[in-house]
Amino acid sequence: MYKLETIISLAKRRGFVFQSSEIYGGLNGCWDYGPLGVELLLKIKDSWWKAMTFRDDIEGVDASILMHPRTWDASGHTKQFSDPMIDNKVSKARFRADNLIEEHIVKLRSKNKNDEAEAIEQKLANIKENNDYLTIILEHGIKDPVSGTVEWTEVRNFNLMFKTFIGPLEEASSVVYLRPESAQGIFVNFKNVAETARQKVPFGIAQIGKAFRNEINTKNFLFRTREFEQMEMQYFVKPGAELEWFDYWKKQRWQWYIDMGMDESKMRWKNHDKLAHYANHAVDIEFEFPFGWGEIEGIHSRTDFDLRNHQEFSGKKMEYVDAVNNERYLPFVVETSGGVSRGLMAFLCNAYSEEQVTDDKGNTEVRTILRFSPKLAPITAAVFPLVNKDGMPELAQSVYRDLQKSMKVQYDSSGAIGRRYRRQDEIGTPFCITIDGESLTENTVTIRERDSMKQDRISIDKIKNYISDKIY
Ligand code: ATP
């Protein structure tokens, strides 16, 4: 397992991710994606979008980030979307009370104090009110990691929605929220989509878009940020059919990560012991990050909670009319909800590796590689002239320009060929194409595969097919 710092440093050095507004010292919980990061983001989203919508029963939408404020009353976010927050009186540091306790449990386990860890876990599973967090914290002497003291305030609820105002007047009647999840944009459009796309239950609606949460503690790089992107799909089914579809979507989503190159041994299922107010079944797909296991996607059976509440709060009928069987009902919903940025971080950690290699002269060095699936690699191929003379650059340029019509390619003519390979390995480029002396007479190139470092000689007109065979 590599350290998170190593991966963050590569991400910055090679232009995947930068701190937001870095020249001003950064903005906590916000990140910018650089030239390679944005390519990776787009490829993740594109693969997800195709997996979801290149089928008969799923349509896409792109709903507005600002929604009518009643949406959040109906969804329960105005009242319930809060985390328990606690402050240390000495350091003034602020924590999520549940996270503080969970971190203490991890510490106890690392010291083999398993009995105490289990006892706290039991208590955590039975929390009824905020006071219970404080009781655990005080009973087990959980200290502030900053000041080392146990001088804690009460535990208070902190709503995670960002508030702003619509229009010129900053008054209560013009309050709107930045959406904390993209799902509600789908629920409110359920009837619009069903009718205009002439879809029949069961069918789904997919969306990729930004969401905002004023998280109490942001940490672990892209894992918990205040602005992030989600890829969500809500699948509407007849009540009673939800468990069957829940199992179906669990399998589909697991397989998608495998198809995108995720190492299955770094993934696991986590059942929710405590269900959210809207769910009757819920599981998470977790990934083993350098700092431990963390959720990358949730699959939730949300019953008819959302449609029912929107029907009640808006006064508009949200029922589905099944004309064939002459039935009317509010569909149940099975949702798949993944984070794009959290997914990107998981793919980055999954891909990172270092290995010892020996060159022709017997010197060993460390090769840093991002073993992205060719489907996700930010740069699909790199083209090199072996030397910058004898007509090689001209032919290399023409190969490069031709490939550029259908994929993201880089051209590199500087330094020894080994160095050029290393530069591409480090950003995960799966194919490096070299134009050499033989290319000029035989119209062939060498194409080197990143992981095996194996080289094939193929004719120039076969390059595109060679690459697309490995991608699709
Ligand atoms: P957590 O318990 O980690 O806060 P959650 O259970 O609140 O997550 P959901 O509301 O189910 O998460 O959101 C679905 C997905 O959106 C998550 O699996 C994650 O990939 C992503 N996500 C949620 N919150 C954040 C965040 N603050 N930063 C980045 N991604 C997030």
Side-chain angles (χ1 to χ4, degrees):
M1 183 69 71
Y2 299 97
K3 286 203 175 116
L4 186 58
E5 288 70 35
T6 314
I7 296 166
I8 297 176
S9 133
L10 170 73
K12 164 134 207 246
R13 182 159 38 85
R14 298 306 311 269
F16 283 89
V17 183
F18 309 122
Q19 243 189 323
S20 157
S21 3
E22 191 182 310
I23 58 168
Y24 292 103
L27 181 66
N28 204 294
C30 301
W31 298 89
D32 294 346
Y33 294 86
L36 295 179
V38 73
E39 290 297 329
L40 182 55
L41 269 186
L42 285 170
K43 286 190 168 135
I44 293 171
K45 290 190 276 188
D46 186 57
S47 303
W48 184 88
W49 190 253
K50 287 178 177 151
M52 284 297 174
T53 65
F54 281 19
R55 37 187 289 158
D56 302 338
D57 57 347
I58 298 184
E59 308 287 346
V61 294
D62 185 358
S64 167
I65 286 172
L66 299 176
M67 298 181 69
H68 193 288
R70 290 287 280 164
T71 309
W72 309 110
D73 296 334
S75 68
H77 283 80
T78 335
K79 278 218 180 95
Q80 310 212 25
F81 195 56
S82 55
D83 280 339
M85 171 181 85
I86 189 165
D87 294 293
N88 185 273
K89 292 180 195 159
V90 179
S91 69
K92 309 279 181 247
R94 175 163 287 179
F95 301 92
R96 246 173 82 170
D98 52 341
N99 286 355
L100 191 68
I101 298 170
E102 278 156 9
E103 274 159 26
H104 186 67
I105 295 174
V106 173
K107 232 184 265 163
L108 289 173
R109 291 218 183 275
S110 73
K111 291 183 191 154
N112 276 330
K113 295 185 175 170
N114 292 323
D115 289 348
E116 190 180 349
E118 249 156 62
I120 304 180
E121 264 169 357
Q122 283 276 328
K123 290 181 195 168
L124 207 49
N126 292 315
I127 293 275
K128 299 243 165 11
E129 48 161 12
N130 280 343
N131 244 339
D132 299 342
Y133 289 112
L134 188 62
T135 310
I136 300 179
I137 290 170
L138 296 179
E139 269 179 16
H140 293 270
I142 301 180
K143 289 189 186 132
D144 170 22
V146 184
S147 68
T149 67
V150 286
E151 299 289 313
W152 296 109
T153 60
E154 296 286 292
V155 175
R156 285 166 296 156
N157 275 334
F158 174 73
N159 194 297
L160 301 183
M161 284 201 291
F162 278 100
K163 232 186 225 177
T164 185
F165 301 94
I166 203 155
L169 295 176
E170 295 194 3
E171 58 184 27
S173 63
S174 59
V175 165
V176 287
Y177 300 94
L178 301 189
R179 67 180 179 200
E181 63 175 24
S182 57
Q184 299 305 324
I186 288 182
F187 293 124
V188 297
N189 277 302
F190 164 68
K191 294 282 280 191
N192 286 340
V193 175
E195 282 162 22
T196 54
R198 302 175 63 225
Q199 282 286 359
K200 295 193 171 47
V201 167
F203 78 95
I205 307 179
Q207 174 170 225
I208 299 175
K210 291 253 173 150
F212 302 82
R213 296 184 188 176
N214 198 0
E215 300 279 2
I216 297 169
N217 294 124
T218 58
K219 58 176 179 181
N220 292 331
F221 195 33
L222 309 173
F223 185 79
R224 190 174 301 290
T225 54
R226 296 199 164 111
E227 173 177 340
F228 56 98
E229 219 168 358
Q230 291 186 309
M231 5 187 224
E232 294 201 299
M233 193 280 300
Q234 272 69 33
Y235 202 76
F236 299 89
V237 306
K238 194 170 172 182
E242 69 275 14
L243 288 188
E244 195 186 311
W245 283 107
F246 182 71
D247 284 342
Y248 171 85
W249 283 110
K250 270 176 68 178
K251 289 197 191 97
Q252 296 292 313
R253 295 308 303 142
W254 183 269
Q255 189 57 42
W256 182 80
Y257 285 101
I258 309 291
D259 292 347
M260 293 305 119
M262 207 66 112
D263 175 353
E264 204 162 2
S265 70
K266 291 194 193 137
M267 285 164 57
R268 72 176 186 193
W269 289 109
K270 166 101 187 290
N271 284 320
H272 284 213
D273 302 328
K274 270 208 307 208
L275 288 171
H277 57 284
Y278 52 75
N280 71 356
H281 270 82
V283 285
D284 294 335
I285 298 178
E286 290 193 335
F287 176 79
E288 193 175 16
F289 289 98
F291 53 82
W293 290 92
E295 168 186 341
I296 48 174
E297 172 152 349
I299 294 122
H300 313 130
S301 173
R302 288 181 82 123
T303 68
D304 61 1
F305 175 86
D306 304 87
L307 290 183
R308 185 170 293 286
N309 280 344
H310 285 306
Q311 176 167 280
E312 188 186 319
F313 280 71
S314 70
K316 298 277 171 355
K317 279 249 170 293
M318 298 300 271
E319 278 176 348
Y320 172 74
V321 181
D322 176 348
V324 179
N325 299 310
N326 204 14
E327 287 178 301
R328 289 170 167 270
Y329 54 83
L330 279 173
F332 272 33
V333 170
V334 175
E335 84 172 352
T336 70
S337 173
V340 184
S341 28
R342 211 182 263 187
L344 179 142
M345 180 173 162
F347 283 118
L348 203 56
C349 295
N350 182 67
Y352 188 89
S353 105
E354 290 171 11
E355 60 178 41
Q356 291 274 346
V357 284
T358 314
D359 68 12
D360 314 341
K361 299 183 190 102
N363 303 320
T364 56
E365 62 167 347
V366 174
R367 177 167 92 112
T368 303
I369 331 164
L370 288 178
R371 294 182 193 275
F372 289 128
S373 151
K375 295 184 177 82
L376 294 187
I379 308 294
T380 307
V383 180
F384 311 146
L386 182 61
V387 289
N388 282 311
K389 55 181 186 188
D390 302 335
M392 289 182 215
E394 290 76 9
L395 183 57
Q397 271 291 327
S398 106
V399 168
Y400 168 65
R401 292 281 166 220
D402 187 44
L403 288 177
Q404 205 172 41
K405 291 179 193 148
S406 49
M407 64 189 80
K408 187 80 185 161
V409 221
Q410 273 189 358
Y411 184 83
D412 188 358
S413 59
S414 67
I417 205 84
R419 289 272 130 237
R420 288 185 250 171
Y421 283 147
R422 295 289 171 274
R423 281 202 283 268
Q424 295 299 329
D425 290 343
E426 205 183 42
I427 60 171
T429 308
F431 307 108
C432 289
I433 296 157
T434 304
I435 280 63
D436 55 14
E438 215 176 309
S439 308
L440 303 169
T441 53
E442 308 297 322
N443 251 328
T444 57
V445 295
T446 63
I447 184 158
R448 173 230 193 222
E449 198 274 328
R450 179 197 62 210
D451 298 349
S452 62
M453 296 193 280
K454 205 171 120 300
Q455 297 189 19
D456 281 340
R457 184 164 279 279
I458 60 170
S459 72
I460 289 179
D461 56 6
K462 297 254 162 48
I463 301 177
K464 272 191 198 156
N465 279 350
Y466 180 99
I467 294 176
S468 59
D469 280 354
K470 306 243 159 41
I471 295 187
Y472 300 109

